[in-house]
Amino acid sequence: MAKVLTSRSENYSQWYNDLVMKADLAENSAVRGCMIIKPYGYAIWENMQAELDKMFKDTGHQNAYFPLLIPKSFLSKEADHVEGFAKECAVVTHYRLKNDPNGKGVVVDPNAQLEEELIIRPTSETIIWNTYRNWIQSYRDLPILCNQWANVMRWEMRTRLFLRTAEFLWQEGHTAHATKEEALQETEQMINVYGDFAENFMAVPVLKGHKTESERFAGALDTYCIEALMQDGKALQAGTSHFLGQNFAKAFDVKFANKEGKEDYVWATSWGVSTRLMGALIMAHSDDNGLVLPPKLAPIQVVIVPIYRKAEELEKIAAKIDPIVAKLKSMGISVKFDDSDNRKPGWKFAEYELKGVPVRLAIGNRDLENGTIELARRDTLSKETLPIEGIEEVIEKLLEEIQTNIFQKALDFRAEKTTKVDSYDEFKELLETKTGFFLAHWDGTAETEEQIKNETKATIRCIPFDAEEEEGVCMVTGKPSKRRVVFAKAY
Amino acid sequence: MAKVLTSRSENYSQWYNDLVMKADLAENSAVRGCMIIKPYGYAIWENMQAELDKMFKDTGHQNAYFPLLIPKSFLSKEADHVEGFAKECAVVTHYRLKNDPNGKGVVVDPNAQLEEELIIRPTSETIIWNTYRNWIQSYRDLPILCNQWANVMRWEMRTRLFLRTAEFLWQEGHTAHATKEEALQETEQMINVYGDFAENFMAVPVLKGHKTESERFAGALDTYCIEALMQDGKALQAGTSHFLGQNFAKAFDVKFANKEGKEDYVWATSWGVSTRLMGALIMAHSDDNGLVLPPKLAPIQVVIVPIYRKAEELEKIAAKIDPIVAKLKSMGISVKFDDSDNRKPGWKFAEYELKGVPVRLAIGNRDLENGTIELARRDTLSKETLPIEGIEEVIEKLLEEIQTNIFQKALDFRAEKTTKVDSYDEFKELLETKTGFFLAHWDGTAETEEQIKNETKATIRCIPFDAEEEEGVCMVTGKPSKRRVVFAKAY
């Protein structure tokens, strides 16, 4: 069968687009920059949502829902915030259509103009903090630990499926606290939740750290992030958690009486991950044959393909397979027995490879006679013939092994692609031929950061939490620096 | 403790508003007609979602996601559809804000006008059928059984929390089929799913039937509905399933090659329920003390309130209660041990009554000595003291009993409020003093339906599937009729 994907080495970007389309994950819609998430892609997203939602609830959060539309004036209340989002807003100005007097369908009714224009939420800090004002009077009302699963819009000029779309799906946590310490603790807790999720479910190793001031969320005092490395050596910001200080409380006048009866502004955090994670998942593991999915997020963990000619052969195979399917399901393993007769086994093999199903079993007449079954691993593309007896336990163990193996592979790749650099000349030279994470000293100024970005297109991905103290000098200015930061070209 | 709610007899409508607010279910936002669903209300909605989602998947459906925004021209492609929705559309005309030259915050950038205005989806038939055109070539691609969980907007002039809001949350199923029969079967299957959900989870009995032509979904050939009766005797449409024929396939040119190789238009259905179900749930069961929730949808099924003065007393109670909590959880029962010390037991009792927690346990010093615990049922407001030993099994059985009891009560209420009427004079007279479902003969014309609506405000809720054949005459025109239809004033 001909390869359906452009190879990564030929054109990584085209490979990604091909894969997203061919594996039925998503496609572009008739509306500029807005994607359609197809059932198979959405099933992966649902698995992500389920795990994240559980982690949020386990850390004491509750879900709620706030309006899609935000009064335009709300955005202006926090100066940095409006600066960051105004250019990307979709604006609702009218609320009615009417028949075109010239008979050409419908037109916007000019008599139904809104008094104040509304924007489609690019993020919900403003509408939520306007609401929290009424929810919070005293320290007894705190903390508020809310999360929202929602769609948001940012009118991006250059869009790419999952990675950057005008509309995307995400969750946004918005918490309110009585003290700075508690808010900082929450900010850190949530970046750790994201890190755990990325590493233990997505099998994507991440660096955790602070964003530089210029890369912070608009309105935040500090932004923590997780940064992942894709197979093309480019970084991808996979999640952020923001310490908002009292900025939004001040902008929306949210005060509380503390235990001593003194009034103070409330402390805030917000944190989010989006369908962008789908992009990270796809790019971190997949190969030229298609998706490679970590078992913990795969909609189908095991597929079983019968190989037969006559209906009676299929019957015999089904009689052998049905109890295996039942047992796997009872073990919590999602399994599909693909006995559809409109496709040949070879087509099915390629299809499930393309879709990243971690384990594929195939069974034919000869296997029935021998009491065997063929097992193929998606991650290593290896095959072996095994006794059918006890195959369920083999699979259970194998799924764990695949999960670990995929993560280890990504971890090794990152180690290989991480380079310490000590001079700016070396840095620039390396960037000509090499990608990945570059650890270098930086003087801590926005000017130097900007210069490096302009001259090399590399940005500071983060100042890692666990960066060792190390006396050094900025590779550009020679000014003193106490730790290395992480540079990369990024999505 | 003073009653926090207006009583139902005093002002039913105010009682509903009070309850939604005081029980922390939802509130109005700064944006006209858009609500905020608060964590407790959202937790009930999440339980509804989980059950419905399972039912959809068990009947072979998959979730997907389609864009929030729809090109205005799409709406016009199906004539009835645009007629039904154009007046309620929120319209996006621009995509950027900029700093006000007069320094007053931000204004809409006139240079960033959209070429074609976009509407915020009021429902997604148009964008989805525009997509299906590319997904469907042959009968092998059918059926497509997609569902979407999403927010939609309909610019309603008079809004009420949950019952009618400009933005609401819902699910919308959109299926594509090779034959008319299959599409009709799907339409019926889904109204049955909704009926099962309403009765078995919400404990709300529903009538299932056809809508009249004038009450059909805009663009449908037939609309099936479930109709519930609220405590004020008004009807509430709780879910609809539409047979769309080939209307949308024709509007968006979606054809397929059938098994014989002949081209035909694809057959369609769509079906949805929304956060309006929250309104139905609240109004069907609750009383003047607050919410009454069916155990199957209650976020907290059992609350345990300790009664103590000193910390050491609480410790002893906790030692007794902790294993009970653990056992209940292991039985799949959601339980909260409210040992917070900032509220008195009396306050907690009232609060959990207001929030409709089905079972409340209270335990104090005396109980510890006697090996007893006090159990209160929310549905009957009855209390009894029981041995603490084996209380978990008592609770498990009781939760089922409460679920059944709430349903039976609503069913009895409906029976009591259902009246056969044979003359229009009697009908009009009855409507002066009585509410509920009225079963009457109707001549099947839109004119008569309209006349009755204008003169009495009662509408035909449905033509029940199970209506007995009965020779009769229309109560208004005297023309022949073969079965009674259901009239009511409605939300």
Side-chain angles (χ1 to χ4, degrees):
Chain A
M1 193 170 162
K3 293 277 179 198
V4 294
L5 306 177
T6 306
S7 74
R8 287 165 294 173
S9 59
E10 195 182 326
N11 184 337
Y12 188 84
S13 171
Q14 189 59 46
W15 165 81
Y16 175 80
N17 291 343
D18 283 0
L19 181 50
V20 171
M21 302 281 286
K22 299 283 170 71
D24 282 335
L25 301 176
E27 64 185 44
N28 287 306
S29 77
V31 183
R32 220 196 115 279
C34 296
M35 69 180 155
I36 291 156
I37 308 179
K38 298 180 79 174
Y40 191 66
Y42 200 85
I44 300 172
W45 175 241
E46 279 182 297
N47 285 347
M48 289 187 173
Q49 283 188 299
E51 295 301 341
L52 283 165
D53 198 69
K54 191 177 173 308
M55 292 170 106
F56 299 156
K57 285 178 177 155
D58 286 348
T59 44
H61 303 86
Q62 294 179 297
N63 289 326
Y65 189 77
F66 296 86
L68 169 72
L69 300 179
I70 299 178
K72 192 193 61 186
S73 60
F74 279 23
L75 204 69
S76 315
K77 295 202 177 184
E78 214 288 331
D80 290 332
H81 197 67
V82 67
E83 187 69 28
F85 289 104
K87 285 179 193 150
E88 298 175 352
C89 287
V91 193
V92 179
T93 60
H94 293 72
Y95 63 85
R96 194 166 65 206
L97 300 177
K98 60 168 195 172
N99 286 323
D100 184 356
N102 303 318
K104 291 182 181 170
V106 287
V107 293
V108 177
D109 186 342
N111 296 320
Q113 189 167 359
L114 294 176
E115 281 182 37
E116 179 179 4
E117 291 94 351
L118 300 170
I119 59 164
I120 299 181
R121 60 182 164 218
T123 179
S124 301
E125 279 76 7
T126 57
I127 188 101
I128 289 179
W129 278 87
N130 185 64
T131 306
Y132 282 178
R133 186 176 55 248
N134 304 317
W135 292 9
I136 300 167
Q137 274 86 43
S138 102
Y139 70 95
R140 283 193 197 87
D141 303 318
L142 296 171
I144 293 178
L145 305 172
C146 276
N147 175 60
Q148 162 169 281
W149 290 96
N151 52 345
V152 287
M153 285 212 82
R154 297 179 189 175
W155 209 269
E156 304 276 1
M157 278 302 138
R158 267 183 293 274
T159 61
R160 284 193 75 189
L161 291 167
F162 290 125
L163 297 172
R164 196 173 293 277
T165 48
E167 182 191 15
F168 56 89
L169 302 184
W170 81 343
Q171 61 68 218
E172 45 182 325
H174 295 274
T175 69
H177 305 267
T179 66
K180 179 179 177 180
E181 293 65 38
E182 203 184 294
L184 278 166
Q185 215 165 23
E186 168 80 6
T187 313
E188 194 182 330
Q189 171 182 256
M190 298 322 291
I191 205 67
N192 286 331
V193 163
Y194 290 153
D196 286 352
F197 175 74
E199 302 203 330
N200 297 325
F201 289 89
M202 295 174 62
V204 174
V206 291
L207 296 178
K208 283 186 279 192
H210 301 264
K211 280 284 171 199
T212 62
E213 196 176 335
S214 62
E215 298 275 340
R216 264 178 214 154
F217 176 75
L221 297 189
D222 203 347
T223 288
Y224 303 164
C225 63
I226 53 171
E227 295 283 328
L229 195 66
M230 303 296 99
Q231 288 182 66
D232 61 350
K234 282 169 80 175
L236 187 143
Q237 175 180 299
T240 47
S241 182
H242 315 293
F243 171 61
L244 304 174
Q246 296 171 310
N247 285 354
F248 285 90
K250 284 177 182 164
F252 289 90
D253 196 29
V254 189
K255 293 180 198 166
F256 75 107
N258 66 18
K259 277 190 185 168
E260 292 75 40
K262 237 186 88 187
E263 264 205 342
D264 195 6
Y265 287 106
V266 177
W267 297 85
T269 86
S270 67
W271 30 274
V273 295
S274 74
T275 35
R276 192 165 213 236
L277 288 181
M278 291 287 294
L281 184 75
I282 296 160
M283 285 202 292
H285 307 304
S286 303
D287 63 25
D288 293 350
N289 296 329
L291 278 179
V292 173
L293 292 177
K296 284 189 187 176
L297 294 177
I300 304 167
Q301 294 174 310
V302 179
V303 66
I304 308 176
V305 178
I307 297 167
Y308 65 98
R309 285 167 196 269
K310 301 177 201 148
E312 64 199 47
E313 289 173 7
L314 176 58
E315 265 173 47
K316 278 185 199 161
I317 293 173
K320 193 81 191 167
I321 290 302
D322 288 347
I324 295 174
V325 168
K327 178 145 187 216
L328 287 171
K329 283 188 180 166
S330 77
M331 294 160 82
I333 294 168
S334 73
V335 52
K336 176 176 176 176
F337 177 40
D338 186 352
D339 59 355
S340 60
D341 60 1
N342 55 356
R343 302 291 190 184
K344 298 241 161 72
W347 188 93
K348 292 180 186 175
F349 285 11
E351 176 70 7
Y352 294 112
E353 205 163 278
L354 182 60
K355 292 199 163 164
V357 176
V359 174
R360 182 185 77 221
L361 301 175
I363 180 165
N365 257 337
R366 177 106 48 98
D367 292 301
L368 282 184
E369 282 163 24
N370 298 342
T372 58
I373 197 160
E374 189 192 74
L375 183 152
R377 271 176 76 154
R378 178 62 186 91
D379 61 333
T380 58
L381 293 172
S382 60
K383 276 197 264 193
E384 55 182 331
T385 298
L386 297 170
I388 199 161
E389 189 70 33
I391 194 71
E392 301 91 342
E393 286 72 22
V394 172
I395 288 169
E396 186 177 39
K397 234 184 101 193
L398 181 59
L399 288 172
E400 284 170 33
E401 194 182 317
I402 293 173
Q403 182 81 29
T404 310
N405 177 56
I406 293 177
F407 177 71
Q408 189 59 46
K409 204 173 150 190
L411 197 62
D412 293 345
F413 175 80
R414 186 180 74 180
E416 187 193 308
K417 288 276 186 182
T418 301
T419 316
K420 279 194 186 182
V421 191
D422 287 312
S423 88
Y424 194 40
D425 283 343
E426 187 195 356
F427 183 75
K428 286 189 281 191
E429 202 183 301
L430 277 173
L431 277 173
E432 300 282 318
T433 55
K434 206 167 152 40
T435 56
F437 286 141
F438 297 92
L439 311 181
H441 282 282
W442 162 62
D443 64 14
T445 69
E447 292 71 29
T448 306
E449 186 183 7
E450 182 75 10
Q451 182 192 338
I452 297 170
K453 185 177 172 180
N454 290 338
E455 290 174 357
T456 68
K457 295 207 173 81
T459 52
I460 301 178
R461 304 315 306 156
C462 71
I463 306 160
F465 291 149
D466 61 0
E468 283 167 40
E469 289 257 341
E470 178 189 289
E471 294 296 330
V473 294
C474 172
M475 63 173 174
V476 177
T477 63
K479 289 183 191 160
S481 154
K482 287 208 181 305
R483 62 185 59 77
R484 289 173 188 268
V485 299
V486 180
F487 287 90
K489 290 183 186 169
Y491 279 94
Chain B
M1 192 168 163
K3 293 278 180 198
V4 295
L5 306 177
T6 305
S7 72
R8 286 166 294 174
S9 58
E10 195 183 325
N11 185 337
Y12 189 83
S13 171
Q14 189 58 48
W15 165 80
Y16 175 79
N17 291 344
D18 284 359
L19 181 50
V20 171
M21 303 281 286
K22 300 282 168 72
D24 283 335
L25 301 175
E27 64 185 44
N28 288 306
S29 77
V31 183
R32 219 196 117 281
C34 296
M35 69 180 156
I36 291 156
I37 307 179
K38 299 180 77 174
Y40 192 66
Y42 201 84
I44 300 172
W45 175 242
E46 280 183 294
N47 285 347
M48 288 187 175
Q49 283 188 300
E51 295 300 342
L52 283 166
D53 199 69
K54 190 175 174 311
M55 291 169 105
F56 299 156
K57 285 176 177 155
D58 286 348
T59 45
H61 302 87
Q62 294 180 297
N63 289 326
Y65 189 77
F66 296 85
L68 170 71
L69 300 179
I70 299 178
K72 192 193 61 187
S73 60
F74 279 23
L75 204 67
S76 315
K77 294 202 177 182
E78 213 289 330
D80 291 331
H81 196 67
V82 67
E83 186 69 28
F85 289 105
K87 286 180 190 148
E88 298 175 352
C89 287
V91 193
V92 179
T93 60
H94 292 73
Y95 63 86
R96 194 165 65 205
L97 300 177
K98 62 167 195 174
N99 286 324
D100 183 356
N102 303 319
K104 292 183 180 167
V106 286
V107 292
V108 176
D109 186 342
N111 296 320
Q113 189 168 359
L114 294 176
E115 280 182 37
E116 179 179 4
E117 291 95 350
L118 301 169
I119 60 165
I120 299 181
R121 61 183 162 217
T123 180
S124 300
E125 277 77 7
T126 58
I127 188 101
I128 288 180
W129 278 87
N130 185 64
T131 307
Y132 282 177
R133 185 176 56 247
N134 304 319
W135 292 8
I136 301 167
Q137 274 85 44
S138 101
Y139 71 93
R140 283 193 197 85
D141 302 317
L142 296 172
I144 294 178
L145 305 172
C146 275
N147 176 60
Q148 162 169 280
W149 290 96
N151 52 346
V152 287
M153 285 211 82
R154 297 179 188 175
W155 208 269
E156 303 276 0
M157 278 303 139
R158 268 185 292 275
T159 61
R160 285 192 75 188
L161 291 167
F162 290 125
L163 296 172
R164 195 174 293 278
T165 48
E167 182 191 15
F168 56 90
L169 304 184
W170 80 343
Q171 59 67 219
E172 45 182 325
H174 295 274
T175 69
H177 305 269
T179 65
K180 178 179 177 180
E181 293 64 39
E182 203 184 293
L184 278 167
Q185 215 165 25
E186 169 81 6
T187 314
E188 194 182 329
Q189 171 182 259
M190 298 322 291
I191 204 68
N192 286 330
V193 163
Y194 290 154
D196 286 353
F197 175 74
E199 301 203 331
N200 298 324
F201 289 89
M202 296 174 63
V204 174
V206 290
L207 296 178
K208 283 187 278 194
H210 301 265
K211 281 283 174 199
T212 62
E213 197 176 335
S214 62
E215 298 275 339
R216 265 178 212 152
F217 176 75
L221 297 189
D222 203 347
T223 287
Y224 302 165
C225 63
I226 52 171
E227 295 283 327
L229 195 66
M230 302 295 99
Q231 288 183 69
D232 61 350
K234 282 169 79 176
L236 188 143
Q237 175 180 300
T240 47
S241 181
H242 315 294
F243 170 61
L244 304 174
Q246 296 172 311
N247 286 353
F248 285 90
K250 284 178 181 165
F252 289 90
D253 196 31
V254 189
K255 293 179 200 165
F256 74 108
N258 66 19
K259 277 190 185 169
E260 292 73 39
K262 237 187 88 189
E263 261 203 344
D264 194 7
Y265 287 106
V266 177
W267 297 85
T269 85
S270 67
W271 29 274
V273 295
S274 73
T275 35
R276 193 165 211 235
L277 288 181
M278 291 288 294
L281 185 75
I282 296 161
M283 284 203 292
H285 308 304
S286 304
D287 62 25
D288 293 349
N289 297 329
L291 276 180
V292 174
L293 291 176
K296 285 189 186 174
L297 295 176
I300 305 167
Q301 295 174 310
V302 180
V303 66
I304 308 176
V305 178
I307 297 166
Y308 65 97
R309 284 167 196 268
K310 301 178 201 149
E312 65 199 47
E313 289 172 8
L314 176 60
E315 265 174 47
K316 277 186 199 159
I317 293 172
K320 193 80 190 168
I321 290 302
D322 288 346
I324 295 175
V325 168
K327 177 141 186 221
L328 286 172
K329 282 187 181 166
S330 77
M331 293 159 82
I333 293 169
S334 73
V335 53
K336 177 175 176 177
F337 177 38
D338 185 352
D339 59 355
S340 60
D341 60 0
N342 56 356
R343 301 293 189 183
K344 298 242 160 72
W347 187 94
K348 292 179 185 174
F349 285 12
E351 176 70 6
Y352 293 113
E353 207 163 277
L354 182 60
K355 291 200 164 166
V357 176
V359 174
R360 183 185 77 221
L361 301 174
I363 181 165
N365 257 337
R366 177 102 52 97
D367 291 303
L368 282 184
E369 282 163 23
N370 300 341
T372 58
I373 196 160
E374 189 192 72
L375 183 153
R377 270 176 78 152
R378 178 64 186 89
D379 62 332
T380 57
L381 293 172
S382 60
K383 276 199 262 193
E384 55 182 330
T385 299
L386 296 169
I388 199 162
E389 187 71 32
I391 194 71
E392 300 91 342
E393 286 74 21
V394 171
I395 288 170
E396 186 177 39
K397 234 184 100 195
L398 182 60
L399 288 172
E400 283 170 34
E401 194 182 318
I402 294 173
Q403 182 81 28
T404 309
N405 178 55
I406 292 176
F407 177 70
Q408 190 59 46
K409 205 173 150 191
L411 198 61
D412 293 345
F413 175 80
R414 185 179 75 179
E416 186 193 308
K417 287 276 187 182
T418 300
T419 315
K420 279 193 184 179
V421 191
D422 288 311
S423 88
Y424 193 39
D425 282 343
E426 187 195 355
F427 182 75
K428 285 190 282 192
E429 201 184 302
L430 277 171
L431 277 173
E432 299 284 317
T433 55
K434 204 166 153 43
T435 56
F437 285 141
F438 297 92
L439 310 181
H441 281 284
W442 162 63
D443 63 15
T445 69
E447 292 71 31
T448 306
E449 187 183 5
E450 181 76 9
Q451 183 192 337
I452 296 170
K453 186 177 171 179
N454 290 339
E455 290 175 356
T456 68
K457 295 205 173 86
T459 51
I460 301 177
R461 303 317 304 158
C462 72
I463 305 161
F465 291 149
D466 61 0
E468 283 167 39
E469 289 257 342
E470 179 191 286
E471 294 296 330
V473 295
C474 171
M475 64 173 171
V476 177
T477 62
K479 287 182 193 163
S481 155
K482 287 208 181 306
R483 63 186 58 78
R484 288 172 189 268
V485 298
V486 180
F487 287 90
K489 290 182 184 167
Y491 279 93

